[in-house]
Amino acid sequence: MSAVRIAADVALAAGVIAQLVCCLGVWWMRDVFDRLHFAAAGTTVGPVLIGIAVALTGFSSASGTVQALTAVAFLALFNPVLTHATARSARRLIHGDLDPVGTQEGNRPGPPDAAASEDES
């Protein structure tokens, strides 16, 4: 076996293990945000490692390798956007708004001149 084949096998095994760990994390965690953390890692770490293994082995043709690497790049590019949007939606459903926890309607931080004008009224 060549060094490239061994590196591809290691990357493939690491990608599969990463996917299994992420699946267990999604199953084990109780909070939606913790589950989202593992789901986001599952759509980034594992596919990137598997994509590296595909690139190292050369897949079956050059076009297959390009398609696999394009899919990995697509996941790596859009995963943070999708994760952020999902977290914002979950935050809005759980807390009713996107304000930090602990702020109240009358106790929101703002510019100093806004607070002074409220006191004068």
Side-chain angles (χ1 to χ4, degrees):
M1 286 181 72
S2 67
V4 173
R5 181 65 182 191
I6 292 172
D9 289 343
V10 168
L12 182 62
V16 170
I17 290 170
Q19 290 299 101
L20 290 174
V21 168
C22 290
C23 287
L24 288 173
V26 169
W27 176 70
W28 188 264
M29 293 295 141
R30 295 180 189 210
D31 187 1
V32 66
F33 300 108
D34 293 335
R35 287 180 179 177
L36 185 61
H37 173 78
F38 281 96
T43 57
T44 304
V45 178
V48 167
L49 290 170
I50 293 169
I52 289 170
V54 167
L56 288 175
T57 58
F59 203 63
S60 62
S61 66
S63 65
T65 302
V66 169
Q67 288 175 352
L69 293 179
T70 302
V72 168
F74 184 81
L75 284 173
L77 182 66
F78 290 110
N79 177 40
V81 175
L82 182 59
T83 302
H84 183 77
T86 306
R88 284 179 60 93
S89 297
R91 168 81 182 175
R92 189 172 296 245
L93 283 172
I94 292 171
H95 296 288
D97 61 2
L98 296 175
D99 292 333
V101 176
T103 60
Q104 297 172 352
E105 190 65 36
N107 192 16
R108 291 183 186 219
D113 56 349
S117 64
E118 288 178 9
D119 292 336
E120 293 173 0
S121 302

